[in-house]
């Protein structure tokens, strides 16, 4: 609950005159203490679980009108103690930001193979969402500049299990080397964060007019650095969780002054409660979310198309960082996948990777120009003629359904996720997949006298208890 007096007067004054802003209801909704919790299912994993199972596990309430797999929850459960959260069945995401789906669907032909960049991607809310919306022939590059945050992004993307994603850890400037490469670039920019004041009241103390100005300058730098990588005809989706015009409408005017772009209109039913706004100079449309108008936090999004221009593209400059896997390695690794997508097989040090064959040129280009943390499916390490399966393979939606699986009860699943010893029913010796409610959680190795737990140490549950 945020007392009215806690919202900085300079902040409230700066919002006066913004279309849709009503001081009274805005202050009241911040003072109400109401918390909205929402999740978005992973359609790549939902088929294995069935919505009615998920329904028994999560307190699902209404659907989020602008996101096909988004749901409000009637209360906030303890996600840490839900094994399906760790298995990547769903992502806990703020509802307003799922509006990205409308921007993408209404601006872009999603049946085409697309190259999509999520430039400021950690912890992965937009990236997991984008991946669910793209065709399997499309490529998603999820980038995060801050190393520790890139690790969290990687964890969330690996859990999501998509084979057609690459995770990079680069500065926006580095994307200048990929001239005219992407069909869509999403810039969910670092911002002054006023849209999240209700959920994170501690952020209020960090707000100042000066911080807004600094954010606005940084947003311009990020956009200027990344725009050369957008193809002519391609779409830029820009968003912030700030209400400030300097970070929202003024950025649209700046973009239209500096670059060859045109605004894209997104149709929104009035009952969704989203406010359509126009920039002062070019009347470019943007979409603003106020928590007193709808169930969600503060958010702003706009969509622009790059007009025709130079179509010059970059070239590979050096020897590929990846080598092709040998025939023998492919023969050993390929039975672990379901074969639904034709794969190209790669080797990096001792690791075998599978990446959609159709995207070979894209993979080579990205590994040539950027620092890649993760690409496609990390299958595992070769140990002689045996593949030691990687955790990413267990999480992958491409995993072969015939692989031996052991179903765990909730308490056993939590033991496994804490990386504690697990007692399993007698089963064949060797690698086995442990599952909860039909969804893979990871690998164990069954030996004659014990079972080794291969859950990644860095991801284990540290909190004690079970609810
Ligand atoms: N898109 C993410 C999601 O939906 O989960 C949230 C992104 S958050 C709003 C902005 C991200 O930009 C942060 O992860 C932050 O580390 C990153 N960032 C901070 N400074 C940056 C910079 N100068 N250039 C690019 N990204 C930056």
């Amino acid at each position: 609950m945020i007392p009215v007096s806690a919202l900085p007067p300079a902040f409230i004054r700066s919002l006066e005159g913004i279309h849709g802003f009503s001081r009274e209801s805005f202050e009241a909704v911040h003072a109400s203490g109401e918390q909205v919790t929402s999740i978005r299912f992973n359609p790549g994993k939902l088929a294995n679980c069935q919505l009615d199972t998920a329904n028994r596990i999560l307190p699902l309430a209404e659907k989020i009108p602008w996101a096909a797999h988004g749901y409000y929850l009637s209360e906030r459960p303890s996600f840490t103690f839900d094994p399906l959260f760790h298995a990547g069945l769903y992502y806990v995401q703020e509802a307003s930001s799922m509006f990205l789906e409308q921007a993408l669907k209404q601006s872009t032909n999603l049946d085409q193979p697309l190259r999509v960049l999520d430039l400021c991607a950690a912890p992965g809310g937009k990236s997991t969402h984008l991946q669910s919306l793209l065709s399997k022939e499309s490529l998603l590059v999820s980038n995060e500049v801050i190393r520790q945050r890139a690790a969290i992004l990687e964890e969330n993307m690996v859990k999501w299990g998509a084979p057609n994603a690459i995770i990079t850890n680069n500065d926006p400037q580095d994307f200048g080397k990929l001239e005219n490469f992407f069909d869509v670039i999403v810039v969910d920019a670092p911002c002054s964060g006023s849209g999240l004041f209700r959920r994170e009241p501690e952020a209020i103390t960090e707000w100042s007019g000066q911080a807004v100005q600094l954010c606005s300058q940084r947003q311009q730098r990020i956009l200027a650095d990344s725009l050369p990588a957008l193809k002519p005809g391609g779409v830029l989706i820009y968003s912030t969780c700030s209400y400030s015009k300097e970070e929202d409408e003024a950025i649209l005017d700046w973009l239209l002054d500096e670059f060859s772009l045109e605004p894209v209109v997104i149709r929104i039913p009035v009952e969704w409660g989203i406010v359509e706004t126009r920039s002062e100079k070019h009347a470019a449309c943007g979409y603003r979310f106020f928590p007193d108008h709808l169930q969600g936090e503060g958010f702003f999004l706009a969509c622009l198309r790059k007009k025709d221009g130079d179509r010059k593209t970059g070239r590979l400059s050096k020897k590929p960082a990846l080598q092709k896997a040998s025939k023998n390695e492919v023969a050993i690794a390929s039975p672990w996948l379901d074969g639904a997508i034709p794969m190209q097989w790669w080797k990096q040090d001792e690791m075998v990777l599978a990446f959609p064959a159709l995207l070979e040129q894209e993979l080579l280009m990205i590994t040539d120009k950027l620092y890649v943390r993760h690409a496609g499916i990390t299958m595992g390490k070769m140990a002689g003629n045996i593949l030691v399966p990687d955790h990413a393979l267990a999480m992958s939606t491409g995993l072969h359904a015939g692989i031996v699986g052991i179903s765990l009860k909730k308490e056993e699943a939590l033991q496994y996720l804490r990386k504690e010893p697990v007692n399993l029913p007698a089963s064949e010796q060797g690698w086995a997949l442990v599952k909860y409610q039909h969804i893979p959680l990871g690998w164990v190795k069954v030996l004659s006298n014990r079972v080794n737990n291969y859950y990644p140490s860095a991801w284990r549950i540290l909190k004690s208890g079970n609810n």
Side-chain angles (χ1 to χ4, degrees), residues 91 118 120-126 144-146 149 172 188-190 218 222:
Y91 192 94
D118 185 8
C120 311
K126 310 268 179 330
E144 168 59 42
V145 64
I146 298 174
R149 291 180 60 82
D188 186 32
R218 182 166 55 175
I222 294 172

Side-chain angles (χ1 to χ4, degrees), residues 268 297 349 396:
I268 39 169
E297 305 309 311
D349 304 322
S396 170

Side-chain angles (χ1 to χ4, degrees), residues 266-286:
I266 306 168
R267 293 177 312 280
I268 39 169
V270 263
E271 60 275 16
W272 287 2
I274 301 165
V275 176
E276 183 174 329
T277 161
R278 297 276 169 168
S279 69
E280 224 163 80
K281 183 169 174 199
H282 294 286
C285 34

Side-chain angles (χ1 to χ4, degrees), residues 31-46:
S32 71
E34 190 201 341
Q35 293 292 327
V36 179
T37 305
S38 46
I39 57 117
R40 184 172 37 73
F41 282 112
N42 181 349
K45 298 202 176 188
L46 198 57

